[in-house]
Each structure stands twice: as C-alpha cells, then as structure tokens.
Amino acid sequence: MRRRTLLSAAPLAAVTAAGLAACGSGSGGGGSDDSPDSLTYWASNQGTSLENDKEVLTPVLKKFTEESGIEVSLEVIGWADLQTRIQTAITSGQGPDVLNIGNTWGVSLQATGGLLELGDAEFEALGGRDRYVEAALATGGAVDTAPTSIPLYGLAYGMYYNVKMFEDAGIEPPTTWEEMVEAAKKLTDPDKDVYGMSLAAGSYTENNHFAFINATQNGAALNSEDGKPTSTEDGVVDGILRYLDLMQEHKVVNPSNAQFDNGTKSVTAFANKQAAMIINQNNANATIESQGMKPEEFKAIPFPAPADAVDDCASHLAGINLAAMADTDNRDGALAFLKFMTSPETQAELGKPFASLPVLVDGEPTFTEDSEQADMFMEVYSERSAPLPLVPWEDQFETTVGQAMNSMFATIATGGKVTREDVLTAMQTAQDSIRA
C-alpha cells in the first residue's frame, strides 16, 4: 500500500467543525476599539473545556502584554459555534482582531476577503516563512496565493485502547481494520453496557473526517483534478459503508453513540470503561486523564487500514490556524500577536496542555512524556496523513457528507437498515448540492 511523507510538501488539512448556532458580534472595525494598545482574540476550544482554555491562555496572554504593552481581550468559542461566528463577523465587519480557525477552512475563508493577506512584508514581521512546517503553512490559502492564516497547533488521529481490557482478553493491539473489528467483537458485551468501540457518530465533523480517511485508504479522492467534488466514487461509498458497519453489521458500537455530537462524549465512554477503543486526535490525552484514567491505563496506535488497502492513511492532516481580520484597527499589534503565539517558547508552553503537535521546523512534541506515543503521532502526522480538499467548497463537504452520515447512523441506531445504494444516493445528493 502507499505511504507518504507530506510535511515538506503537501497541504495540511484540519480538525474542523462548521457551526450552526447564531452569532453575537464584537466591536466594530476589527474589534480593537481603534486602540493600538488592545486586541480582541477569539480562541478555539483546545482544552478540556472553555474554562480550561481560559485558564491555560490567560497567563500566556499576560506575557504578551508584558512584552508588547498590548492588552488582549480573550473569548474562547466552542467548535459548534466558531465558524458561524467567524462568517458573521466577516459579513458584518464586527468581530475580533485575531482569531483561530480550523485549518480546513483556510481556503474558503481566504476567498471571503475578510482575513488579512500575509505577503512578504507581513512574513518579515512574523520572522519569515521558513519558520513554519511547509505543509502546515500551505493550509493558509489556495496554491500560488498569499496565505491569510498561519499554523498554530498540529493534530493527528490515533486509535486509543484500554490496556487492561486488552490484556484481560489476551488481545494484541490491531494493525489492520480486520484485526480491529475482531478485537472489538471480543470486547463487546451489551449486557454489561460495554462495547468494543465508541464513535462520535452524531458529529458531522468527525463523520466527514472518517469518510475522507476510509475513502483515502480505498484509493479514492473526494475531488477531481479540476477541483470538483467526486463523492460518488466506489471507494468513497464503500469506505463510508465500512465505517457505518461498525454499528450496523459488527455491532461493536453502542447505538446510543448516534447521539454523540462531539468527540468528548466518546472519550467519556472510553474513560468510564464503556468502550475499549476510541479514534481521536492526540489532544484527547488531556481529556482522558481529566476524567480519571491514568496515563499507563491507555495507549494509542495508528488507526488501522484494511489489510488490502491501497493506502495506509491513518488521519487527515489536522490542525488549527491563526489569522488576523482584514479590517483590524491594530494591524501591527495583530502581527506581533501572531508572531508571539507561534514563537518556539509559546508553542512549547501550549503544546502540553493543548496536546498539539509542533508546526515549527525542528519543533518537538511536548504534549506527552511517553516518547513512544509522541513518535507514533509524529509518524502519522508526517507519513500517514492526507490533506482534506483545500478548495473553497470544503466547508460544504463537511456539512453535506457529515450530516448525511449523521442521518445514516441515526437510521441504524433506531433499527433501520442502510444499504450501499442508500450511501450512494446520499453521496449523490451531497455532490449535487456542492456542485450547484
């Protein structure tokens, strides 16, 4: 099967969630109240809770204020709301000065014209393009354009498993999809409310990620060379059905997981010993431990591909980018903030609590003291990850394909049957919607 080394050349795609909630608005003209001594910052939820993010970021932002004299007003926004808040801010002209974005949104938000373009002068203020991992920086905009965001946190998926449950059952960590399914079957006991796996089956963001990963393992692409969606390819349809069958055919996922609308809920099931395995990004460590599991009680391995897979993709290239609004009243301060947040010192300080992978050249992971786990995630990030389509319609892919999978999981959870033809019909509808 194919392997890849992407960190030096390929675009990095993201951990994302398109929000549907209504949005409040900040101050006009980019949020800084026309003051060179203040900035407003919208941060994404990277820690165990919104409050945890504030606790982590507040002392970091205080250091920036001490160094620059610029006060930072912080708001942490959950993933369910963040993209809608950003879109509304761009449309209304009322928003922050600087903000986090899911890096798969890089091209679509660039196309709005609402984010500050980062040309040669801006990168000189940031310390140069060559500070950043090339693949990570490529997510900031379309090919051959000036980007409008820079990488902030790198992430990758892994499969976490409960060490004791595996040892008690005499099971070795799986290296193929088939081994994973067999292990999950042995560890499933519905009478005890214990299942082999837990999935965020009601999260359209998680679902679209695994539509992409499974399709890539099958050698299929979600977009053509000319940038058109191709979600009806056999490899896409078969990959989605394979994922749905964890609940439908193999019955190793609790049907109640169809209501899990974010990854934290599957992490909770895992921490409560209600599931032996979860597939989550490397920032799950902090949440797992916050819910009572000790580091030695769980391990992570690459998400396995089928034995006959065309490609051993184990994750999409995930991460968070940092941008400034085009209409900020404190352009110099915003650039200073971007440079500070991506300095080696700040990256190392935030890498541990937010369990992120380094986006700077020669950066080292600090999110875990387990060198084996750190090396595994770095291998997935650099060699076994593929970029989600870096196209303006990527956000539509997330919502149409992801929500279609939500509906199919809900059908399965309530006793219905989802056939291959049903998946094909749903993907045709999604593709037609995007092309329209």
Side-chain angles (χ1 to χ4, degrees):
M1 65 181 72
R2 293 199 302 262
R3 287 180 72 91
R4 56 173 69 75
T5 300
L6 289 177
L7 282 186
S8 63
L12 174 70
V15 179
T16 65
L20 296 177
C23 150
S25 60
S27 58
S32 64
D33 293 326
D34 297 319
S35 171
D37 298 326
S38 67
L39 290 170
T40 55
Y41 173 39
W42 286 359
S44 52
N45 178 204
Q46 302 303 130
T48 58
S49 66
L50 301 184
E51 285 303 316
N52 172 250
D53 283 276
K54 293 176 185 177
E55 292 172 5
V56 170
L57 287 170
T58 295
V60 174
L61 300 183
K62 184 178 179 181
K63 290 180 184 178
F64 173 73
T65 299
E66 291 171 350
E67 292 181 11
S68 66
I70 300 172
E71 296 285 344
V72 180
S73 175
L74 170 68
E75 181 179 0
V76 182
I77 302 173
W79 284 104
D81 300 328
L82 182 59
Q83 192 172 33
T84 297
R85 291 283 301 273
I86 294 169
Q87 291 168 338
T88 302
I90 289 173
T91 301
S92 67
Q94 295 181 321
D97 295 288
V98 288
L99 66 160
N100 290 4
I101 67 171
N103 64 359
T104 53
W105 308 342
V107 177
S108 57
L109 291 177
Q110 178 194 42
T112 68
L115 301 182
L116 180 67
E117 188 173 283
L118 302 174
D120 291 342
E122 287 75 23
F123 271 106
E124 184 176 350
L126 295 175
R129 288 181 173 84
D130 57 0
R131 295 178 57 224
Y132 304 98
V133 170
E134 186 176 355
L137 184 57
T139 61
V143 176
D144 297 328
T145 66
T148 55
S149 60
I150 57 173
L152 179 62
Y153 309 123
L155 297 166
Y157 275 107
M159 195 183 78
Y160 290 82
Y161 68 94
N162 183 301
V163 173
K164 187 175 188 303
M165 292 173 77
F166 268 64
E167 289 178 347
D168 288 349
I171 300 171
E172 292 295 319
T175 59
T176 66
W177 175 275
E178 293 81 4
E179 290 176 359
M180 181 189 77
V181 171
E182 287 307 307
K185 287 179 178 178
K186 290 181 181 179
L187 294 163
T188 295
D189 187 347
D191 292 337
K192 295 182 179 179
D193 197 30
V194 175
Y195 287 79
M197 301 189 74
S198 181
L199 306 176
S203 164
Y204 67 86
T205 56
E206 295 282 321
N207 281 333
N208 87 75
H209 293 166
F210 288 103
F212 172 78
I213 294 167
N214 282 281
T216 303
Q217 291 175 345
N218 290 347
L222 287 161
N223 62 291
S224 61
E225 290 184 2
D226 62 353
K228 301 292 178 61
T230 56
S231 53
T232 57
E233 283 193 16
D234 287 346
V236 178
V237 173
D238 293 339
I240 290 173
L241 186 60
R242 180 167 72 232
Y243 190 66
L244 294 170
D245 274 344
L246 291 172
M247 181 184 290
Q248 177 170 248
E249 179 183 347
H250 305 305
K251 303 185 187 304
V252 297
V253 175
N254 192 327
S256 68
N257 286 190
Q259 299 178 49
F260 285 8
D261 59 0
N262 62 70
T264 301
K265 294 182 178 180
S266 60
V267 170
T268 299
F270 179 72
N272 290 338
K273 316 295 192 296
Q274 294 174 317
M277 291 177 275
I278 55 171
I279 313 162
N280 216 299
Q281 291 169 1
N282 55 282
N283 57 358
N285 282 45
T287 306
I288 294 171
E289 292 177 28
S290 75
Q291 300 200 28
M293 287 191 84
K294 298 177 181 177
E296 62 269 21
E297 293 182 308
F298 64 91
K299 290 187 177 180
I301 58 176
F303 173 57
D308 62 352
V310 176
D311 194 298
D312 69 347
C313 176
S315 180
H316 72 294
L317 280 161
I320 311 303
N321 281 6
L322 184 63
M325 295 289 280
D327 62 353
T328 175
D329 295 316
N330 192 354
R331 179 182 173 281
D332 291 344
L335 290 173
F337 184 78
L338 267 60
K339 183 178 181 181
F340 172 83
M341 291 295 285
T342 58
S343 67
E345 297 78 14
T346 304
Q347 285 282 294
E349 183 172 356
L350 293 177
K352 184 172 178 61
F354 290 161
S356 60
L357 298 172
V359 297
L360 299 179
V361 174
D362 298 328
E364 294 290 337
T366 60
F367 73 94
T368 177
E369 296 179 1
D370 184 338
S371 60
E372 182 179 350
Q373 186 179 117
D375 289 345
M376 184 279 293
F377 275 112
M378 285 301 295
E379 180 197 359
V380 170
Y381 185 60
S382 61
E383 298 181 21
R384 298 185 59 181
S385 296
L388 279 162
L390 287 176
V391 292
W393 49 263
E394 192 282 331
D395 56 342
Q396 297 174 61
F397 158 72
E398 291 194 20
T399 53
T400 57
V401 172
Q403 288 176 353
M405 291 177 67
N406 284 10
S407 296
M408 288 186 280
F409 269 124
T411 296
I412 295 166
T414 53
K417 173 72 174 176
V418 174
T419 66
R420 188 183 188 282
E421 186 63 31
D422 293 331
V423 178
L424 177 60
T425 298
M427 292 305 99
Q428 184 67 61
T429 300
Q431 180 173 291
D432 291 346
S433 174
I434 295 170
R435 292 193 174 194

